[in-house]
């Protein structure tokens, strides 16, 4: 096993981790052979996967830039994964040098790696919590130190809500989070959508059956409902790679598998 300085001692690096596989898809270096092997298997089953993930990440960057340009300097990134390739605080600080970020994930592996990577950065915090538990998130002293909830915050729910099944009422969960934020805050959101081509649906189903976290894809109107009561920034809710496209998503620009994305402003 490769010894690496960012690996917390409590982490089992002999088992693949979804968070480190995600880092591998993004071209990051925070992964191990065991992660790469499993990721390669997933890619064989679903060749577009790395492109989709990179398109999602490119949307995240464009959205962070957009809200930073609107004067936001505080970010609450829930379902953040391992903040490695183009993480939120680095992107935001290109536009607002004093940006603070609270990273939240429920996965202990992602949290442990995040804490190790961000140690020494006193303008970031890492919380282990579930997005369905706003009291745990907003009651955490680390979040309170990082975010001033009397000023606008950008809430990032990027590629995470499709892990919340309908039985857990994802729309109500988002509402409970948004209700804690002041007017002028933003919701940055991307979400998987069902592909219309039957030949890709089959490979999707097969892949999801093999993962411990089943995915709930949602239609455009279902995703739009997460923005209820908000003003959607231009161009509205669109395919992920189309949101203020700048060419960085490459040949995925028109790809239906990339899901939908949008940025809403709280009134
Ligand atoms: C696909 S990754 C997205 C990472 C990053 N937001 C991005 O788009 O590049 C989804 C992350 O959401 C986390 N997650 C899933 N369900 C969650 C929940 N209920 N609460 C908090 N985090 C969750 C997973 O552990 C994982 O790290």
């Amino acid at each position: 096993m490769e010894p690496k300085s960012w690996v917390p001692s409590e982490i089992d690096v002999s088992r693949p981790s979804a968070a480190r596989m995600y880092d591998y898809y993004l071209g990051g270096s925070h992964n191990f052979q065991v992660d790469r092997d499993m990721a390669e298997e997933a890619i064989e089953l679903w060749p577009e996967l790395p492109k989709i993930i990179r398109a999602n990440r490119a949307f995240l960057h464009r959205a962070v830039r957009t809200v930073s340009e609107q004067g936001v300097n505080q970010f609450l990134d829930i379902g953040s994964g391992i903040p490695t390739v183009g993480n939120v605080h680095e992107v935001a600080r290109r536009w607002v040098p004093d940006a603070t970020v609270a990273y939240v994930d429920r996965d202990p592996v992602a949290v442990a790696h995040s804490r190790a990577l961000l140690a020494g950065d006193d303008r970031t915090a890492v919380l282990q919590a579930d997005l369905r538990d706003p009291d745990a998130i907003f009651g955490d002293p680390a979040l309170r130190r990082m975010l001033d909830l009397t000023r606008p915050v950008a809430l990032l729910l990027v590629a995470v809500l499709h892990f919340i099944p309908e039985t857990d009422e994802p729309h109500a969960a988002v509402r409970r989070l948004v209700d804690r934020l002041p007017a002028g805050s933003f919701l940055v959101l991307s979400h998987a959508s069902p592909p219309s081509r039957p030949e890709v649906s089959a490979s999707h189903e097969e892949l999801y059956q093999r993962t411990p976290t089943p995915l709930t894809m949602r239609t455009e109107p279902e995703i739009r409902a997460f923005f209820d009561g908000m003003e959607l920034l231009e161009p509205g809710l669109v395919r992920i790679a189309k949101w203020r496209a700048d060419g960085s998503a490459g040949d995925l620009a028109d790809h239906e598998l990339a899901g939908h994305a949008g940025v809403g402003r709280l009134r």
Side-chain angles (χ1 to χ4, degrees), residues 22 56-57 79 81 105-107 129-132 158-160 164:
Y22 193 83
N56 175 67
R57 202 71 185 169
D105 205 287
R106 74 169 172 196
D107 173 13
D130 194 297
L131 76 84
R132 289 163 288 193
V158 180
V160 61
I164 310 292

Side-chain angles (χ1 to χ4, degrees), residues 12-171:
D12 178 0
V13 293
S14 65
R15 297 180 59 197
S17 137
R20 293 191 306 257
M21 284 166 64
Y22 193 83
D23 173 73
Y24 175 69
Y25 297 135
L26 286 171
S29 57
H30 298 90
N31 50 70
F32 297 101
Q33 194 58 49
V34 66
D35 306 309
R36 296 190 279 274
D37 289 347
M38 180 120 174
E40 286 301 335
E41 256 192 76
I43 292 170
E44 240 176 76
L45 214 49
W46 188 2
E48 287 113 335
L49 197 56
K51 275 189 201 165
I52 292 168
I53 287 171
R54 284 199 289 272
N56 175 67
R57 202 71 185 169
F59 157 72
L60 175 72
H61 293 172
R62 297 193 300 275
V64 166
R65 175 180 179 168
T66 298
V67 298
S68 300
E69 286 173 342
Q70 305 252 348
V72 171
N73 68 348
Q74 326 185 79
F75 298 82
L76 174 54
D77 184 2
I78 305 184
S80 47
I82 299 180
T84 56
V85 180
N87 55 55
V88 171
H89 66 280
E90 280 178 358
V91 174
R93 285 175 191 166
R94 285 183 213 148
W95 319 103
V96 277
D98 62 346
T100 56
V101 183
Y103 289 106
V104 182
D105 205 287
R106 74 169 172 196
D107 173 13
V109 176
V111 168
H113 284 309
S114 301
R115 288 197 173 129
L117 284 167
L118 298 173
D121 186 325
D122 60 5
R123 300 186 75 80
T124 58
V126 182
L127 284 64
Q128 183 174 357
D130 194 297
L131 76 84
R132 289 163 288 193
D133 188 357
D135 289 341
I137 295 173
F138 288 96
D140 193 310
L143 179 139
R144 293 276 167 183
R145 275 195 300 277
M146 212 46 61
L147 307 180
D148 170 2
L149 297 177
T150 65
R151 293 193 298 107
V153 171
L155 169 62
L156 274 52
L157 295 173
V158 180
V160 61
L161 289 168
H162 40 237
F163 296 114
I164 310 292
E166 231 24 57
T167 46
D168 286 357
E169 302 184 340
H171 292 86

